[in-house]
Amino acid sequence: MLAMEKDFDSKLRIQSNNTSSSSSSFSSSSSTSSNNGNVLRSKSFAFRAPQENFSIQDFELGKIYGVGSYSKVVRAKKKDTGSVFALKIMDKKFITKENKTAYVKLERIVLDQLDHPGVVKLYFTFQDTFSLYMALESCEGGELFDQITRKGRLSEDEACFYTAEVVDALEYIHNMGLIHRDIKPENLLLTAEGHIKIADFGSVKPTQDCRITVLPNASSDDKACTFVGTAAYVPPEVLNSSPATFGNDLWALGCTLYQMLSGTSPFKDASEWLIFQRIIARDIKFPSYFSDEARDLIDRLLDTDPCRRPGAGPDGYPSLKMHPFFKGIDWNNLRARTPPKLALEQVAHSEDGDHEIDNDSWNPSHIGDCSAIQNDGNLGVSQSTEPSGHITRLASIDSFDSKWQQFLDPDESVVMISMVKKLQKLTNKKVQLILTNKPKLIYVDPSKLVIKGNIIWSDNSNELSIQVTSPSHFKIYTPKKVMSFEDAKQRAWQWKKAIESLQNQ
């Protein structure tokens, strides 16, 4: 394990002239142009957000904000200062195995240099044996996706407010020569006051005229036409393997505005393949309650020619800002406006009238090096902390809490766990779905803390299989029955990958 850590650090370490410096100026010892463009590249520079010598033990961890393919974001409170951050925790082993090192380095460098009220701020980074950590600005208002879900759909005034703030931030990002490539309601976060912040720059792509300084080996290895992003928001030109442009983000903006006003994405369907077919065919239907202005703006943003989308053409962002949909928006004082009132999360009740327990927090003893702490307080490496097979350590701590420990055998650990709805003909019930490394797959009543079902495990895909029907819906097939589940955090594909990885180990 120690050898793996050293190998990873040799690939990932980004040295500044003074790692403890928080200077905002970048100190370049050598600067070159990219072979295929004018991306600024430097061998070293000083970070504004320093790399600290912190430990995960320095933080009190709270609810999970989000889950990605190789990372999770959790609310973290610094114990000595009380400062609250959104801590992005990334699995080193997975990053190395999947050749994601360049993406991680690029995200870190980009976030360090961006400075706009509509972009999440990076404060500092640190690492341990298993994980990399980015301490980001905590957006206490949650995801825009949650507001859409709780309200059903947004009013046009609300949608106009949020869209204008996204446009303002996107204009800045594009002027810096960056393509975000994953604009969607889940990546649009809200401050406690209700203002928009664009997050998750893990798919960012510098253009040839990028104004961001990039290290030589800190740029994604893919070509600009590589498929990245989320199925429902991907533009047709990317599906046709055309190079990425600023127009990609503007297509996703059109999809997001449609979702704000209707409650669902414009190309929603039962599978990714069907979604892609609808995108390519531009099969879009507008609800009758859309105003003419909203319909026209979405229609233009979803133009099949990326160069004709407002904001991407020769007239630039002024043409987008002047659209009648934004009538009344003062672009010079955008963030002085009072945001829409946030809809708070509703507390669910069980049939017995008790509050259901929505497990959204992490137990620090299951994170990073914490399970390897020796009695003398020093960090050690224990072979037992490394899960077997293809399941990464990070996956094994998803939303784990000590109250679920009673359902595990000695030395059994959780691979994946989340609160889901078990869909039935007459009723839908919330259950805690738990996958362990035994392997074992069970679902638990979260209020009574009793096992409601044990899905018989088999390594044979003919006896146990999982089908994803949408980002949030999946079905588990066994010889005797089919069970349908809904994951509100849209982790259906992660459930499929976790189960199949255990079957193939």
Side-chain angles (χ1 to χ4, degrees), residues 308-326:
R308 290 204 299 259
R309 294 168 197 157
D315 296 329
Y317 270 82
S319 66
L320 176 55
K321 292 179 172 180
M322 289 189 298
H323 191 278
F325 180 75
F326 296 116

Side-chain angles (χ1 to χ4, degrees), residues 108-140:
R108 194 260 193 262
I109 291 170
V110 165
L111 284 172
D112 192 85
Q113 297 179 61
L114 293 181
D115 185 13
H116 187 274
V119 175
V120 292
K121 183 177 180 180
L122 174 66
Y123 289 99
F124 56 84
T125 65
F126 64 101
Q127 63 177 302
D128 59 30
T129 303
F130 296 101
S131 304
L132 299 170
Y133 303 88
M134 289 186 190
L136 302 162
E137 180 179 4
S138 180
C139 296
E140 299 294 310

Side-chain angles (χ1 to χ4, degrees), residues 122-386:
L122 174 66
Y123 289 99
F124 56 84
T125 65
F126 64 101
Q127 63 177 302
D128 59 30
T129 303
F130 296 101
S131 304
L132 299 170
Y133 303 88
M134 289 186 190
L136 302 162
E137 180 179 4
S138 180
C139 296
E140 299 294 310
E143 301 172 356
L144 179 61
F145 175 82
D146 294 328
Q147 292 301 304
I148 298 171
T149 301
R150 292 169 193 168
K151 295 181 179 181
R153 57 187 172 94
L154 305 184
S155 70
E156 194 154 306
D157 286 342
E158 291 173 318
C160 181
F161 177 92
Y162 292 135
T163 305
E165 291 202 335
V166 176
V167 166
D168 181 59
L170 269 182
E171 181 179 25
Y172 167 78
I173 292 169
H174 289 173
N175 283 342
M176 294 297 288
L178 299 170
I179 309 169
H180 186 278
R181 298 203 293 180
D182 201 15
I183 295 296
K184 58 181 179 179
E186 292 89 335
N187 288 339
L188 303 176
L189 307 183
L190 296 165
T191 64
E193 295 76 27
H195 289 286
I196 286 282
K197 300 265 186 180
I198 296 180
D200 195 349
F201 284 75
S203 301
V204 70
K205 185 72 180 180
T207 63
Q208 291 184 354
D209 298 321
C210 181
R211 295 164 60 189
I212 291 290
T213 303
V214 179
L215 291 174
N217 59 347
S219 184
S220 54
D221 299 326
D222 66 294
K223 299 186 182 301
C225 58
T226 301
F227 175 85
V228 297
T230 305
Y233 309 91
V234 170
E237 64 270 18
V238 171
L239 296 178
N240 291 324
S241 300
S242 297
T245 67
F246 297 137
N248 299 166
D249 289 341
L250 294 164
W251 171 281
L253 176 66
C255 294
T256 300
L257 175 55
Y258 183 104
Q259 187 166 348
M260 288 188 221
L261 293 171
S262 70
T264 185
S265 57
F267 304 103
K268 182 177 180 181
D269 217 307
S271 69
E272 283 194 353
W273 186 84
L274 291 173
I275 290 172
F276 293 155
Q277 299 311 303
R278 290 191 61 189
I279 290 172
I280 292 171
R282 200 177 181 273
D283 178 12
I284 180 172
K285 299 176 177 61
F286 290 96
S288 59
Y289 52 81
F290 277 25
S291 70
D292 291 341
E293 293 80 7
R295 177 171 178 149
D296 182 75
L297 177 57
I298 294 169
D299 192 52
R300 292 174 183 269
L301 288 170
L302 299 184
D303 195 304
T304 54
D305 183 348
C307 295
R308 290 204 299 259
R309 294 168 197 157
D315 296 329
Y317 270 82
S319 66
L320 176 55
K321 292 179 172 180
M322 289 189 298
H323 191 278
F325 180 75
F326 296 116
K327 181 181 180 181
I329 293 292
D330 182 356
W331 293 99
N332 294 321
N333 296 289
L334 193 60
R335 294 193 168 250
R337 296 182 63 198
T338 302
K341 185 177 180 180
L342 297 178
L344 302 179
E345 184 175 6
Q346 296 296 314
V347 178
H349 294 268
S350 69
E351 294 175 356
D352 298 331
D354 296 327
H355 291 302
E356 287 195 358
I357 304 166
D358 191 358
N359 179 47
D360 264 347
S361 62
W362 276 7
N363 184 332
S365 66
H366 293 265
I367 297 179
D369 285 340
C370 299
S371 58
I373 295 178
Q374 308 299 317
N375 292 332
D376 60 2
N378 296 321
L379 292 179
V381 179
S382 169
Q383 293 300 324
S384 64
T385 62
E386 187 69 12

Side-chain angles (χ1 to χ4, degrees), residues 281-491:
R282 200 177 181 273
D283 178 12
I284 180 172
K285 299 176 177 61
F286 290 96
S288 59
Y289 52 81
F290 277 25
S291 70
D292 291 341
E293 293 80 7
R295 177 171 178 149
D296 182 75
L297 177 57
I298 294 169
D299 192 52
R300 292 174 183 269
L301 288 170
L302 299 184
D303 195 304
T304 54
D305 183 348
C307 295
R308 290 204 299 259
R309 294 168 197 157
D315 296 329
Y317 270 82
S319 66
L320 176 55
K321 292 179 172 180
M322 289 189 298
H323 191 278
F325 180 75
F326 296 116
K327 181 181 180 181
I329 293 292
D330 182 356
W331 293 99
N332 294 321
N333 296 289
L334 193 60
R335 294 193 168 250
R337 296 182 63 198
T338 302
K341 185 177 180 180
L342 297 178
L344 302 179
E345 184 175 6
Q346 296 296 314
V347 178
H349 294 268
S350 69
E351 294 175 356
D352 298 331
D354 296 327
H355 291 302
E356 287 195 358
I357 304 166
D358 191 358
N359 179 47
D360 264 347
S361 62
W362 276 7
N363 184 332
S365 66
H366 293 265
I367 297 179
D369 285 340
C370 299
S371 58
I373 295 178
Q374 308 299 317
N375 292 332
D376 60 2
N378 296 321
L379 292 179
V381 179
S382 169
Q383 293 300 324
S384 64
T385 62
E386 187 69 12
S388 61
H390 301 288
I391 303 299
T392 65
R393 178 176 178 81
L394 191 60
S396 72
I397 56 177
D398 179 20
S399 190
F400 190 79
D401 196 331
S402 58
K403 62 174 165 282
W404 311 114
Q405 188 72 44
Q406 61 183 292
F407 303 108
L408 307 183
D409 295 331
D411 298 325
E412 185 179 16
S413 63
V414 170
V415 170
M416 189 162 179
I417 178 171
S418 62
M419 187 74 70
V420 299
K421 284 183 182 178
K422 187 173 184 293
L423 308 179
Q424 302 175 89
K425 289 183 178 180
L426 298 179
T427 60
N428 300 330
K429 292 186 177 181
K430 276 191 175 182
V431 296
Q432 195 78 14
L433 189 61
I434 303 173
L435 175 65
T436 78
N437 65 344
K438 193 173 182 177
K440 181 170 71 182
L441 187 57
I442 60 173
Y443 49 94
V444 176
D445 185 316
S447 58
K448 299 177 181 178
L449 292 180
V450 294
I451 295 177
K452 301 298 290 185
N454 188 349
I455 302 172
I456 299 175
W457 184 266
S458 174
D459 291 338
N460 187 339
S461 60
N462 293 323
E463 297 177 356
L464 176 66
S465 63
I466 179 168
Q467 177 191 9
V468 175
T469 56
S470 78
S472 57
H473 292 81
F474 59 97
K475 295 180 180 181
I476 296 178
Y477 291 83
T478 66
K480 292 186 177 181
K481 58 182 176 179
V482 178
M483 288 151 284
S484 298
F485 297 94
E486 177 185 356
D487 189 325
K489 288 292 185 180
Q490 297 193 325
R491 290 177 285 195

